[in-house]
Amino acid sequence: MAEEPPLARAARLADVAELAGVSPATASRVLNGGHRGVREANRQRVLDAAKQLGYTANLAAQTVARGRGRGVTLLASGMPDDYANPVTAGVVAAAQRRGLPFTLISAGTEPADLVEAVNMARGNRPELLMLAGGRMADDATIPDLVDALQRYEDEGGRVVLITQKGLPFDTVAYANRQGGRDMAATLVELGYRDFAVISGLKHGLTQRERTEGFIDGLAAAGITLPADRVLIGQFDRDAAYALTGELLRRPIEVDAIFAVNDAMALGVLTFLRDRGETAPRIAVAGFDDIKALRDVTPALTTVHLPWESAADEALRMGLGPRSPEPQVSVIEGHVVVRESTPPLR
Amino acid sequence: MAEEPPLARAARLADVAELAGVSPATASRVLNGGHRGVREANRQRVLDAAKQLGYTANLAAQTVARGRGRGVTLLASGMPDDYANPVTAGVVAAAQRRGLPFTLISAGTEPADLVEAVNMARGNRPELLMLAGGRMADDATIPDLVDALQRYEDEGGRVVLITQKGLPFDTVAYANRQGGRDMAATLVELGYRDFAVISGLKHGLTQRERTEGFIDGLAAAGITLPADRVLIGQFDRDAAYALTGELLRRPIEVDAIFAVNDAMALGVLTFLRDRGETAPRIAVAGFDDIKALRDVTPALTTVHLPWESAADEALRMGLGPRSPEPQVSVIEGHVVVRESTPPLR
DNA sequence: GTGAAAGCGCTAACAA
DNA sequence: TTGTTAGCGCTTTCAC
């Protein structure tokens, strides 16, 4: 039985310095500071001492001393859902590639939660604060949000928005309207004529743009989509499932359904399957091209979005020099046709 | 044009105190410290001042002053994959429920990465450090890992392992062996006789236990599984896809395949579908019951694991008083029979 | 190249 | 109830 060390304390920089026989300043220089001038001999002793003591820099102390923490904090609204949030995955990967400490803060779903989460994130003083997630067009908390973020930038932090177009910060946005339009053109070309759209909450910007783009695209092909063909619910699979049922109960012809995201498309697909394949098979298209759906049958026609490069772009923006005007980088997707929308006839 | 404030600084506690006309100590008491005795009048003034200044506590400074940070840090090895890591999701949710700041650190896939990540996490001095992810039985870095974690506990931090059974720390483990055994019993009962197992890396503890449990279960039913019926590859979908092809190329009878996790089962399912449904349909079973697969066809028979409550249990352990001996909490799953394993005949 | 010393923003004894 | 005073561990001028 070894003596139980009753209450060890973490080794501090001072301990390392002492053991190495140098000053804290020197130890700091070799352990953290840019590899400036420290004589090789001392350098080695410090390194040895650090290893021997199992020294780990106290990041909090560094943050205090330096005035700003290292790393990226991603604020994602809502919980990580089952269809792995591709944005989060992309950012984690991108941050990892650059060796940046990554912190995920997930805010609740209420708009006010976001503001609160931003303030909490501010507390950590990360060098880059990224916000991801949809936003409501009529959100009353936007001024507060902008205010909090603005404050953060004024304090020297950086802010990058992903998906949150229209706010005065560097932004990576997806070409939602364009994608919707392209999808419409594609489906028309495949021979479909009677459409319905399964969309999310009325005021959500993302779904709204995708829906509008789709309608535009149909219009360009000479097709008018009656307003009652756009069904609205939550932005998720279950809502889509329910909405599809509602849609098919109506006495109308539908040969293709466009869901504004893949999760919802999955709901549609599942509903269609559950009710049994009746003769007139209905085509389904989504938006996002999330990987978790690649094994679904039938394979889903959707708008592919390059998540990884989008995340990379966001980091590039946020880590680069700050530009006087907010930059907006629009990421374009492209339609991928798969089995869920077979050519008609 | 408003004057550009050239270089604002974040409001500090001292600023708030000054504006409120009280001492920093008092301000600290109302803003952070337990709601102790502060005269209501002062209390209000501090609150007002804070709001007016847009004050956010500098968490790093608090951590330094208090000697320990608040919140939970989850160290997940590997990247968040497409089949949303259920452990991560569970912990995020559980932490959120308790209002605990949550940080996710994702380590690389090499064992050595884990150790490094632990040291990095130590730097943040979180009150609770959780490790999730599989572990190799023959991992040479285990002593280093244990050492780093031990150190952390000695310094006053808490460590909880999820899934990493067998290390001297509080642990939440899954009843892998049991689940495998139950699955075997279930399949036999359904009438299956000729089995194959698609498993992951030979030295992975999780997959090994599940495989052994399955074999035990078969044995208990009087069935011996030839060693060559256990195919081994990576712990993921793609490997399973390839292994299934390899398996079916052999001149043997197989009427059911047990994959050691759902992601792999998905690979099996997809391969089976891709090659076209030939007459003798092969049953498939998985393990985990991840939600992302709930819409797969045929619905997957699998071992359900209660992720949410497991995460809750982990937090409960880690946040509660430290017990002299490491606690191990075993979470049991149960077999859920779905369409992928129809009763034979 | 190296060290002394002054902070960074906050908390917590201890007095008052 | 409130303020004073030391720190917490680290970085960073600024001399030497």
Side-chain angles (χ1 to χ4, degrees):
Chain A
M1 291 293 107
E3 283 291 305
E4 282 269 15
L7 191 54
R9 266 219 322 16
R12 298 156 308 163
L13 186 58
D15 300 328
V16 175
E18 185 181 20
L19 181 59
V22 300
S23 75
T26 298
S28 171
R29 287 191 262 257
V30 8
L31 257 16
N32 312 304
H35 24 256
R36 315 280 219 64
V38 172
R39 202 185 318 162
E40 184 53 27
N42 282 339
R43 195 184 147 60
Q44 234 1 285
R45 310 169 57 132
V46 171
L47 256 19
D48 289 349
K51 162 166 277 184
Q52 180 177 336
L53 262 33
Y55 171 75
T56 323
N58 183 324
L59 266 28
Q62 289 190 158
T63 299
V64 174
R66 292 207 246 253
R68 184 146 303 281
R70 253 179 72 65
V72 181
T73 293
L74 173 65
L75 215 59
S77 27
M79 301 216 315
D81 68 345
D82 312 322
Y83 308 102
N85 186 326
V87 176
T88 305
V91 174
V92 171
Q96 200 160 276
R97 271 197 296 276
R98 296 169 193 238
L100 287 176
F102 169 83
T103 297
L104 173 68
I105 297 190
S106 80
T109 45
E110 293 301 308
D113 293 341
L114 230 200
V115 178
E116 193 190 346
V118 168
N119 284 326
M120 150 150 263
R122 275 216 287 151
N124 284 311
R125 310 286 192 267
E127 52 184 315
L128 175 56
L129 180 57
M130 310 203 354
L131 288 218
R135 192 164 55 75
M136 299 291 118
D138 59 351
D139 183 345
T141 67
I142 288 192
D144 289 349
L145 181 62
V146 170
D147 194 58
L149 293 175
Q150 191 60 62
R151 226 156 200 151
Y152 194 66
E153 288 218 312
D154 291 347
E155 294 164 12
R158 292 297 301 275
V159 172
V160 173
L161 271 24
I162 301 189
T163 276
Q164 307 255 5
K165 208 154 43 172
L167 263 30
F169 302 94
D170 285 353
T171 300
V172 172
Y174 297 109
N176 288 319
R177 207 172 296 267
Q178 169 81 46
R181 206 152 28 210
D182 291 351
M183 180 57 84
T186 303
L187 294 181
V188 168
E189 182 144 346
L190 286 169
Y192 296 96
R193 290 296 178 269
D194 297 309
F195 299 95
V197 176
I198 299 285
S199 184
L201 298 171
K202 203 178 336 196
H203 300 300
L205 249 29
T206 301
Q207 46 266 51
R208 192 205 265 192
E209 290 178 357
R210 292 176 181 182
T211 301
E212 290 174 0
F214 189 75
I215 292 176
D216 283 2
L218 290 184
I223 298 179
T224 306
L225 189 74
D228 66 346
R229 296 300 184 86
V230 178
L231 307 213
I232 290 180
Q234 295 290 326
F235 202 44
D236 62 22
R237 172 203 173 278
D238 291 342
Y241 187 97
L243 287 177
T244 307
E246 196 178 302
L247 173 69
L248 298 188
R249 239 173 279 120
R250 299 197 202 155
I252 55 178
E253 285 284 293
V254 171
D255 59 16
I257 297 177
F258 170 56
V260 294
N261 70 24
D262 282 0
M264 297 189 84
L266 180 59
V268 175
L269 237 29
T270 303
F271 181 90
L272 257 22
R273 191 169 60 222
D274 284 358
R275 75 153 183 180
E277 302 275 308
T278 56
R281 191 139 169 267
I282 296 177
V284 178
F287 204 119
D288 280 350
D289 199 22
I290 61 181
K291 281 212 207 154
L293 257 50
R294 79 177 153 160
D295 290 311
V296 114
T297 17
L300 187 66
T301 291
T302 189
V303 178
H304 174 81
L305 250 25
W307 302 104
E308 294 261 323
S309 53
D312 242 15
E313 171 67 7
L315 282 193
R316 201 192 52 65
M317 275 181 146
L319 264 22
R322 180 205 246 101
S323 48
E325 290 301 299
Q327 309 271 267
V328 175
S329 177
V330 175
I331 304 287
E332 306 229 341
H334 63 268
V335 174
V336 183
V337 177
R338 302 207 181 95
E339 304 159 12
S340 68
T341 57
L344 218 49
R345 159 181 6 136
Chain B
M1 290 290 107
E3 282 292 305
E4 282 269 15
L7 192 53
R9 265 213 331 9
R12 298 156 309 166
L13 185 58
D15 301 327
V16 175
E18 186 182 17
L19 181 59
V22 300
S23 77
T26 298
S28 171
R29 287 190 263 257
V30 8
L31 258 16
N32 312 305
H35 23 255
R36 315 279 219 65
V38 172
R39 199 186 318 161
E40 184 53 26
N42 281 340
R43 198 183 143 59
Q44 239 355 290
R45 310 168 56 131
V46 170
L47 256 18
D48 290 349
K51 163 166 276 185
Q52 180 177 337
L53 262 33
Y55 172 76
T56 322
N58 183 325
L59 265 30
Q62 289 190 157
T63 300
V64 174
R66 293 193 172 126
R68 186 147 301 283
R70 254 179 72 65
V72 182
T73 293
L74 173 65
L75 215 59
S77 28
M79 302 215 315
D81 68 346
D82 310 322
Y83 308 101
N85 186 326
V87 176
T88 305
V91 174
V92 171
Q96 200 160 278
R97 271 197 296 277
R98 294 169 193 238
L100 286 175
F102 169 83
T103 298
L104 173 69
I105 298 191
S106 81
T109 44
E110 294 300 309
D113 294 340
L114 229 200
V115 178
E116 192 190 347
V118 168
N119 285 326
M120 150 150 262
R122 275 217 287 149
N124 284 310
R125 310 283 192 272
E127 51 184 317
L128 175 56
L129 181 58
M130 314 206 347
L131 288 217
R135 194 163 56 74
M136 300 291 116
D138 60 350
D139 184 344
T141 68
I142 288 192
D144 289 349
L145 182 62
V146 170
D147 194 58
L149 293 176
Q150 192 62 63
R151 225 156 203 152
Y152 194 65
E153 288 217 314
D154 290 346
E155 294 164 12
R158 294 294 302 276
V159 172
V160 173
L161 272 24
I162 302 190
T163 277
Q164 307 255 5
K165 206 155 43 176
L167 263 28
F169 303 94
D170 285 352
T171 300
V172 172
Y174 297 109
N176 289 318
R177 208 172 296 268
Q178 170 79 46
R181 204 151 32 211
D182 291 352
M183 180 58 83
T186 302
L187 294 181
V188 168
E189 181 144 346
L190 285 169
Y192 295 96
R193 290 298 176 269
D194 297 310
F195 299 95
V197 176
I198 299 285
S199 184
L201 298 172
K202 203 178 335 200
H203 300 300
L205 249 29
T206 301
Q207 47 264 51
R208 195 206 264 190
E209 290 178 358
R210 291 177 181 182
T211 300
E212 289 175 1
F214 188 76
I215 293 174
D216 283 3
L218 290 183
I223 298 178
T224 305
L225 189 74
D228 67 346
R229 296 301 184 86
V230 179
L231 306 214
I232 290 179
Q234 295 292 325
F235 201 45
D236 62 23
R237 172 203 172 277
D238 291 342
Y241 186 97
L243 287 177
T244 307
E246 196 179 303
L247 173 69
L248 298 189
R249 238 172 279 122
R250 300 195 201 155
I252 54 178
E253 285 284 292
V254 170
D255 59 16
I257 297 176
F258 170 55
V260 295
N261 71 23
D262 281 359
M264 297 187 83
L266 180 59
V268 175
L269 236 29
T270 302
F271 181 92
L272 257 23
R273 192 170 59 220
D274 285 357
R275 75 153 184 180
E277 302 275 308
T278 57
R281 190 140 170 267
I282 297 177
V284 178
F287 204 120
D288 280 349
D289 198 21
I290 61 181
K291 280 213 208 154
L293 258 51
R294 78 174 155 164
D295 290 310
V296 116
T297 14
L300 187 67
T301 290
T302 189
V303 177
H304 174 83
L305 250 27
W307 302 104
E308 294 261 323
S309 53
D312 242 15
E313 171 67 8
L315 281 195
R316 201 194 52 67
M317 276 183 146
L319 265 21
R322 180 205 245 101
S323 48
E325 290 300 300
Q327 309 272 269
V328 175
S329 177
V330 175
I331 303 286
E332 306 229 341
H334 64 268
V335 174
V336 182
V337 177
R338 302 208 183 95
E339 304 160 11
S340 68
T341 58
L344 217 50
R345 159 178 7 129

